[in-house]
Amino acid sequence: LFLSASCDGTAKVWELLSGKCISSCLHEDANDAVGRISSCRFTSDMNHFVTACEDLPSVIFWTVDEGTEVRRVTHADRMFRCWSTEFSPDLTKMVGATCLGVGLWCNVTGAKLQGFAGHQEDATCARFSPNGNYILTSGFDRNIHMYECQTGRLLRKLEGHTNTVWHAEFSCRELEIASASTDGQVKIWDVRTGQTLHTLQAAGDLTQARYCWRLTDVRQ
């Protein structure tokens, strides 16, 4: 299965081999205002997925098979926006990158567990490490932060991009980090030292790098 989302407010679950759409949902509020979906993620068991919007203050949980709404979390501030969400590997927690920073929520009750201080502007991406022990974030402030999940302690601050960093990912064995920015660069970082290992520069007319997928480890 794979999951797609659009600025028209729809998210769709597809069967990869046949190309058949299994389910579809529409992210809207109580007044029928449709949001521009900024993030959609499966849970690790592939039974549910979550959508968040850049212009509606809500995060919605859906069933994969039918696209039925299971739970909705709405912020009181209408200007609130969530750029990115992800579930922990054990499905007990969800991390979100928002206009108010980075937060960690209980996936069962919806209660906020803690916040992660550090970004000076909107946080754009939040990702768990494969083992669930660390959280990686990026933001409008051009930086990438690595936190200890349990304590919220900032372990690393990676600086080097010259524009908004939209996406960051750990490698499979958590030895490297990849980041993508609107400066047109994808950078590979050493987790232990915080140093840049490689910088990939966009060619031609491509001026933005918005996503980088989880990579295999550069070093074996």
Side-chain angles (χ1 to χ4, degrees):
L1 302 179
F2 71 94
L3 179 63
S4 66
S6 170
C7 292
D8 65 7
T10 61
K12 297 179 184 289
V13 179
W14 306 84
E15 192 175 67
L16 186 60
L17 295 180
S18 68
K20 177 184 177 182
C21 180
I22 296 175
S23 63
S24 178
C25 65
L26 181 66
H27 194 128
E28 58 184 352
D29 65 10
N31 299 316
D32 297 328
V34 176
R36 295 164 58 91
I37 297 178
S38 54
S39 175
C40 60
R41 302 287 288 188
F42 281 119
T43 57
S44 59
D45 62 6
M46 302 293 285
N47 290 327
H48 298 86
F49 65 94
V50 63
T51 59
C53 289
E54 64 182 62
D55 53 358
L56 289 180
S58 57
V59 175
I60 305 178
F61 297 78
W62 312 85
T63 61
V64 166
D65 291 341
E66 298 179 350
T68 303
E69 182 176 331
V70 176
R71 186 167 75 250
R72 177 186 295 250
V73 180
T74 302
H75 198 277
D77 185 353
R78 288 288 302 174
M79 297 303 293
F80 177 84
R81 54 190 178 274
C82 183
W83 294 105
S84 170
T85 58
E86 186 172 64
F87 295 99
S88 61
D90 63 4
L91 299 181
T92 61
K93 297 178 286 291
M94 184 185 75
V95 65
T98 77
C99 62
L100 301 178
V102 180
L104 186 69
W105 288 266
C106 176
N107 194 30
V108 178
T109 65
K112 188 173 182 178
L113 301 175
Q114 66 177 330
F116 299 88
H119 286 292
Q120 302 303 308
E121 301 179 64
D122 287 26
T124 55
C125 181
R127 293 288 180 261
F128 282 99
S129 61
N131 64 14
N133 293 333
Y134 306 102
I135 289 175
L136 189 65
T137 67
S138 61
F140 283 5
D141 60 7
R142 310 174 185 180
N143 298 326
I144 302 106
H145 292 173
M146 177 179 167
Y147 299 91
E148 191 173 49
C149 183
Q150 187 172 0
T151 65
R153 183 165 62 99
L154 179 62
L155 302 176
R156 288 258 180 251
K157 180 179 179 180
L158 307 179
E159 300 176 284
H161 283 291
T162 59
N163 211 323
T164 298
V165 183
W166 280 102
H167 198 83
E169 288 277 358
F170 283 102
S171 64
C172 296
R173 290 195 297 152
E174 303 171 15
L175 297 177
E176 289 90 28
I177 289 167
S179 61
S181 168
T182 49
D183 63 11
Q185 294 181 344
V186 172
K187 289 182 179 290
I188 311 298
W189 311 79
D190 187 308
V191 169
R192 288 172 290 191
T193 67
Q195 298 300 307
T196 305
L197 297 175
H198 303 285
T199 298
L200 310 178
Q201 180 65 53
D205 296 329
L206 181 61
T207 59
Q208 297 188 17
R210 288 290 294 268
Y211 298 102
C212 53
W213 301 104
R214 180 162 292 167
L215 68 158
T216 57
D217 296 277
V218 175
R219 296 161 298 165
Q220 301 298 322

